[in-house]
Amino acid sequence: MTDRPPGFDAALTAYLPSLKRQAKYMAGPRAEDLLQDALTDMLHLADRCRMGTFRTWAQIILRRAASNHIRKSRQAMRCGVTVPETAAYRVGAIQNQDDAATLSRVLSLLSTIPDGEAVIREAMGDTLTDMGRERGISREAMRQRRELARGRLMQVAA
């Protein structure tokens, strides 16, 4: 038993070619991912659809899915390029012991510096907004604290 309105499946099937064209226009090579996310959302939210405005509703869902894709890609760009572990293993070199010693020294220095953990957490992928929320301060205040910690690290390490 489904909660979808009568005629929902038929309307979705009939409108699918148009959704595919719009997804291709919006996302180019990632159109299939966008379309799949939009269809998943549509099926999940089918009980909220009014069949009289199905096309408008479907376009809104598709645009929302496209907006989510854009947000995720921007977030991934901020975090840096990710390389699959197998590819990194194939091209990776054996870590130099001097580099490991330097990293160990920097990490120990950061643990003694006020707000040094912010530098470490940012390197691990945490956002300034999340760190600021945990401390009850704004993103900008957290960025300023991180910059002070970086400056102190440069002074101590020199």
Side-chain angles (χ1 to χ4, degrees):
M1 192 76 184
T2 64
D3 294 336
R4 295 191 289 255
F8 178 86
D9 293 339
L12 183 60
T13 304
Y15 196 57
L16 191 57
S18 180
L19 287 173
K20 285 181 182 179
R21 280 193 304 276
Q22 289 176 354
K24 187 170 183 172
Y25 175 76
M26 291 177 171
R30 302 203 53 196
E32 189 62 32
D33 293 336
L34 173 60
L35 184 64
Q36 291 299 321
D37 287 349
L39 289 174
T40 302
D41 290 346
M42 286 178 200
L43 291 173
H44 181 70
L45 300 171
D47 58 332
R48 298 181 187 172
C49 175
R50 283 182 268 146
M51 292 308 296
T53 58
F54 178 83
R55 289 182 174 179
T56 304
W57 178 82
Q59 288 175 355
I60 290 170
I61 299 291
L62 183 65
R63 287 183 190 137
R64 185 175 73 177
S67 176
N68 289 341
H69 271 255
I70 291 168
R71 189 185 78 247
K72 287 178 187 176
S73 66
R74 285 182 183 159
Q75 186 176 14
M77 286 174 49
R78 277 183 284 179
C79 293
V81 177
T82 58
V83 178
E85 189 175 328
T86 55
Y89 177 75
R90 280 182 269 154
V91 297
I94 297 174
Q95 186 179 17
N96 188 340
Q97 288 183 346
D98 292 334
D99 293 341
T102 303
L103 178 62
S104 177
R105 181 171 177 252
V106 168
L107 288 174
S108 65
L109 288 173
L110 280 172
S111 64
T112 62
I113 295 173
D115 296 316
E117 77 170 75
V119 177
I120 296 170
R121 287 184 59 190
E122 185 181 35
M124 294 174 59
D126 290 349
T127 63
L128 292 172
T129 305
D130 292 338
M131 289 187 276
R133 254 191 232 125
E134 291 173 8
R135 294 180 182 205
I137 59 176
S138 69
R139 178 192 175 284
E140 178 61 21
M142 193 66 227
R143 186 195 65 77
Q144 292 171 1
R145 288 184 176 193
R146 185 214 48 212
E147 288 302 317
L148 284 173
R150 283 183 178 173
R152 290 181 186 129
L153 175 64
M154 295 306 286
Q155 290 172 353
V156 172

